[in-house]
């Protein structure tokens, strides 16, 4: 055993004396789960800056995994799988038949591809959906479980390596998203998205190790403040620099900024490690925290599919107002509550508790931790900085939107679709991409747009079948160049522009390697739908240079 590893039991005893659950960790994990649901319901990107919940969830999991490895290393992986997999299986028993009821879909057309259904049983990679148009929404949420599973399986090795060389290992982890961004190394194929996810959150997981070993508390306060300030500042600069062009400051769209900002946040949270005496043991808040923790996997899994109902309401509303966000959030919250009541008892079985509709919450004082006495001030300072940064990004994004949407059109002014709000009514694979092709199930995983040898800086990347609803400004024409992304298919697709429910222009099948120029005259219209269908199998298609042309 490495000399540094021998001091770990003593450090753990200092940091977390006593037995039982740790109230500080439980409270932050419950808050993180709630934040994830609210973020997906509202779509407010600034929430990722104020509270980078996914990074915190990985850090807390890393801390608890290190604790379990010190106590019973032979049972850690098996115990984590026992808690994780049964809720996933219950989810799959409902969602997989619903997906396959519409056919095998693009990922399961070939019999040899159907072996991938095993990833619903043991998610070592992203499990494929079936042919349902909304199928990707049932599987996109599983990225966290896949990344978590790999980190748990690798934890006996990563913890040993981290304890041998903590500083170099953490530094390498924080540089991983940069190497992927600049393509210093790449991993193509089905593990590409997993590699990106691990590169973002591995640093947070290792900071969880550092918390459990007491390393965070051994760093002098001033040195610690300089380190986290530098890491957070680097993340903030990257976010502002790369998000300014499109007014997009959602951390989930900027992996490097996400990794650095999240690492700084979780380091501050875990160093604080306060006893939280203001939460009365057995009180209402304490019981709610325990309840969310007892149903955390179920809440996380089931909240995302209910977003599939939201586009129907959003499209009917016809604009991106706060009311539509409120309706979406209410739908997600209500659906999640119902699903949790219906399937949450599976987590009781996984934890070897008697199954209950509502878990019998036994909340007590729990383990009291001895964190940094200045932890509250440090955390308050970081949160204050996060709120300030969020305010800047909201103002910046609003200013970009105002300049592009509200100023009076001048002669032949071009307003690109990617600068305007739109609704992805349906998309065959993952989200609709701005100014890049549709690469896969994750955001921003496409490539620069090139059609028939011509590069386009602007456009929407979609995957058949797809419908994107636009809400046009007061402009006279809509122009676009359409084509099939040759990297992701060599078939043909049919494109149609539908204005207020009427097909105004439609193409014949457009094969890969060819493009079509479309121009549509607009009057007083409410919305414009961009529709793509395939006739030879699923394809990645592009609405290149999609733009509204405004004249005086």
């Amino acid at each position: 055993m490495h000399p540094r590893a021998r001091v770990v039991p003593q450090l753990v005893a200092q940091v977390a004396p006593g037995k039982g659950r740790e109230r500080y960790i439980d409270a932050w994990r419950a808050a993180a789960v709630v934040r994830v649901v609210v973020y997906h319901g509202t779509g407010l990107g600034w929430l990722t800056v104020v509270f980078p919940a996914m990074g915190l969830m990985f850090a807390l999991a890393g801390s608890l995994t290190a604790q379990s490895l010190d106590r019973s290393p032979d049972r850690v992986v098996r115990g984590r799988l026992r808690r994780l997999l049964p809720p996933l299986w219950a989810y799959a028993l409902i969602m997989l038949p619903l997906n396959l009821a519409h056919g095998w879909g693009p990922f399961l057309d070939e019999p040899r591809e159907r072996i991938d259904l095993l990833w619903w049983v043991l998610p070592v990679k992203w499990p494929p959906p079936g042919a349902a148009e909304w199928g990707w929404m049932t599987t996109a949420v599983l990225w966290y479980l896949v990344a978590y599973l790999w980190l748990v399986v690798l934890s006996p090795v990563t913890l040993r390596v981290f304890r041998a060389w903590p500083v170099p290992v953490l530094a390498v982890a924080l540089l991983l998203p940069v190497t992927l961004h600049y393509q210093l190394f790449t991993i193509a194929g089905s593990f590409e998205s997993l590699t990106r996810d691990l590169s973002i959150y591995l640093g947070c997981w290792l900071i969880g190790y550092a918390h459990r070993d007491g390393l965070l508390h051994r760093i002098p306060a001033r040195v610690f403040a300089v380190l986290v300030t530098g890491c957070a500042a680097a993340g903030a600069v990257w976010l502002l620099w790369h998000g300014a062009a499109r007014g997009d400051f959602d951390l989930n769209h900027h992996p490097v900024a996400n990794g650095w900002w999240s690492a700084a946040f979780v380091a501050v949270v875990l160093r604080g490690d306060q006893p939280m005496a203001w939460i009365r043991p057995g009180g209402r808040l304490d019981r709610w925290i325990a309840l969310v923790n007892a149903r955390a996997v179920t809440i996380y899994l089931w909240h995302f599919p209910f977003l599939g109902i939201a586009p129907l309401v959003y499209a009917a509303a016809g604009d991106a107002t706060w009311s539509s966000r409120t309706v979406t959030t209410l739908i997600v919250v209500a659906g999640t509550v119902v699903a949790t009541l219906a399937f949450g008892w599976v987590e009781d079985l996984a934890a070897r508790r008697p199954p209950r509709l509502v878990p019998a919450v036994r909340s007590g004082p729990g383990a009291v931790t001895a964190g940094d006495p200045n932890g509250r001030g440090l955390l308050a300072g970081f949160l204050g900085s996060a709120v300030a940064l969020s305010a800047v990004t909201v103002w910046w994004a609003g200013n970009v939107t105002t300049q592009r949407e509200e100023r009076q059109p001048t002669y032949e002014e071009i307003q690109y679709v990617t600068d305007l709000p739109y609704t992805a009514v349906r998309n065959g694979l993952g989200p609709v991409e701005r100014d890049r092709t549709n690469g896969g199930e994750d955001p921003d995983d496409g490539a620069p747009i090139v059609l028939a040898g011509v590069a386009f800086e602007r456009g929407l990347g979609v995957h058949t079948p797809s419908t994107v609803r636009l809400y046009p400004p007061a402009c006279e024409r809509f122009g676009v160049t359409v084509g099939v992304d040759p990297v992701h298919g060599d078939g043909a697709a049919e494109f149609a522009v539908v204005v207020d429910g009427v097909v105004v222009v439609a193409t014949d099948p457009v094969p890969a390697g060819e493009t079509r120029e479309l121009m549509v005259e607009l009057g007083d219209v409410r919305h414009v739908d961009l529709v793509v269908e395939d006739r030879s199998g699923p394809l990645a298609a592009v609405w290149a240079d999609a733009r509204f042309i405004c004249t005086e």
Side-chain angles (χ1 to χ4, degrees):
M1 181 179 294
H2 191 275
R4 187 176 281 108
R6 284 196 289 268
V7 304
V8 169
Q10 180 183 0
L11 289 172
V12 172
Q14 293 174 0
V15 175
K19 298 181 179 179
R21 301 194 63 88
E22 297 178 42
R23 183 188 302 157
Y24 189 78
I25 285 183
D26 280 356
W28 275 108
R29 181 164 51 191
V33 172
V34 172
R35 205 287 279 154
V36 169
V37 175
V38 172
Y39 163 72
H40 283 142
T42 62
L44 296 173
W46 58 263
L47 286 173
T48 63
V49 177
V50 173
F51 189 176
M54 298 311 303
L56 182 60
M57 290 171 67
F58 279 107
L60 297 178
S63 177
L64 294 174
T65 300
Q67 181 186 54
S68 299
L69 284 169
D70 289 328
R71 290 178 176 175
S72 52
D74 298 335
R75 295 184 294 176
V76 170
V77 175
R78 183 172 67 254
R80 291 290 187 271
L81 293 180
R82 175 174 56 82
R83 297 293 295 270
L84 176 71
L85 294 181
L88 171 63
W89 295 339
Y91 179 80
L93 283 175
I94 303 299
M95 292 301 175
L96 189 55
L98 289 176
N99 273 280
L100 298 182
H102 295 263
W104 289 110
F107 299 100
L108 301 168
D109 277 342
E110 299 294 332
R112 61 181 175 80
E113 295 177 331
R114 292 167 196 168
I115 190 68
D116 288 345
L117 291 174
L118 291 176
W119 310 136
W120 283 93
V121 179
L122 186 64
V124 297
K125 59 179 288 191
W126 176 71
E133 295 176 0
W134 41 264
W136 72 272
M137 300 196 71
T138 67
T139 60
V141 72
L142 300 182
W143 74 267
Y144 170 73
L145 273 67
V146 174
Y148 172 83
L149 178 64
W150 276 98
L151 289 170
V152 167
V153 170
L154 296 173
S155 61
V157 176
T158 56
L159 182 58
R160 182 181 295 272
V161 173
F162 175 78
R163 284 175 171 169
W165 305 284
V167 174
V169 170
L170 181 57
V172 169
L174 293 177
L175 289 174
L176 281 178
V178 182
T179 63
L180 290 180
H181 177 82
Y182 289 109
Q183 297 183 343
L184 301 181
F185 80 92
T186 58
I187 297 180
S190 56
F191 287 96
E192 180 181 0
S193 61
L194 171 63
T195 303
R196 183 177 58 255
D197 296 335
L198 292 179
S199 74
I200 296 171
Y201 297 110
L202 178 60
C204 295
W205 184 272
L206 296 179
I207 291 173
Y209 288 168
H211 164 255
R212 186 56 54 183
D213 288 358
L215 298 180
L216 292 179
H217 305 86
R218 291 165 55 185
I219 302 174
R222 290 185 178 179
V223 175
F224 181 83
V226 170
L227 291 175
V228 296
T229 300
C231 190
V237 170
W238 188 285
L239 177 66
L240 294 174
W241 181 264
H242 290 270
R246 293 183 295 176
D248 178 9
F249 301 101
D250 188 321
L251 274 180
N252 291 324
H253 301 161
H254 303 279
V256 177
N258 192 0
W260 292 347
W261 184 264
S262 296
F265 174 76
V266 302
V268 171
V269 168
L270 293 182
R271 182 180 168 101
D273 214 356
Q274 300 297 308
M276 306 190 85
W278 53 274
I279 301 179
R280 184 172 61 86
R284 181 175 298 179
L285 178 58
D286 194 36
R287 293 175 65 84
W288 274 106
I289 291 172
L291 177 64
V292 172
N293 277 273
R295 294 289 186 263
V297 179
T298 302
I299 294 171
Y300 176 79
L301 283 174
W302 285 91
H303 85 279
F304 201 76
F306 288 100
L307 287 170
I309 301 174
L312 302 177
V313 179
Y314 185 79
D319 59 7
T321 62
W322 174 252
S323 61
S324 65
R325 289 175 173 169
T326 303
V327 171
T328 300
T329 305
L330 292 175
I331 291 171
V332 171
V333 171
T336 303
V337 169
V338 171
T340 302
L341 291 173
F343 302 103
W345 56 270
V346 177
E347 289 199 67
D348 291 331
L349 293 178
R352 297 177 178 173
R353 299 187 298 256
R356 297 175 181 269
L357 184 67
V358 177
V361 178
R362 297 179 180 178
S363 183
V368 178
T369 54
D372 185 352
N374 300 317
R376 289 185 181 179
L378 191 61
L379 180 58
F382 189 95
L383 292 178
S385 301
V387 170
L389 176 61
S390 299
V392 170
T393 61
V394 170
W395 171 82
W396 199 326
N399 188 50
V400 169
T401 301
T402 300
Q403 291 178 0
R404 290 171 175 166
E405 294 179 18
E406 294 184 1
R407 86 189 156 193
Q408 293 296 321
T410 58
Y411 179 75
E412 286 294 303
E413 179 181 3
I414 303 298
Q415 297 196 33
Y416 287 98
V417 165
T418 51
D419 293 333
L420 303 173
Y422 60 81
T423 300
V425 178
R426 59 172 179 160
N427 199 51
L429 176 63
V432 174
E433 298 285 4
R434 293 179 187 261
D435 300 330
R436 63 183 64 208
T437 62
N438 183 281
E441 74 275 10
D442 293 322
D444 292 331
D445 59 357
I449 298 172
V450 179
L451 297 177
V454 178
F456 295 85
E457 293 185 0
R458 299 300 195 111
L460 294 176
V462 300
H463 198 283
T464 60
S466 174
T467 302
V468 179
R469 174 156 293 183
L470 312 177
Y471 310 101
C475 296
E476 287 74 24
R477 288 176 291 163
F478 170 76
V480 66
T481 301
V482 299
V484 172
D485 177 16
V487 177
H488 295 91
D490 57 359
E494 297 178 353
F495 298 80
V497 178
V498 183
V499 178
D500 287 343
V502 178
V503 179
V504 176
V505 63
T507 70
D508 56 345
V510 180
E514 298 183 12
T515 60
R516 300 287 188 275
E517 299 281 346
L518 306 180
M519 187 65 67
V520 176
E521 297 294 330
L522 302 175
D524 184 14
V525 302
R526 186 164 178 260
H527 53 74
V528 174
D529 293 336
L530 308 181
V531 181
V532 190
E533 302 286 352
D534 57 74
R535 290 295 178 265
S536 56
L539 299 166
V542 178
W543 298 89
D545 268 357
R547 63 203 182 277
F548 292 102
I549 304 170
C550 312
T551 57
E552 292 182 341

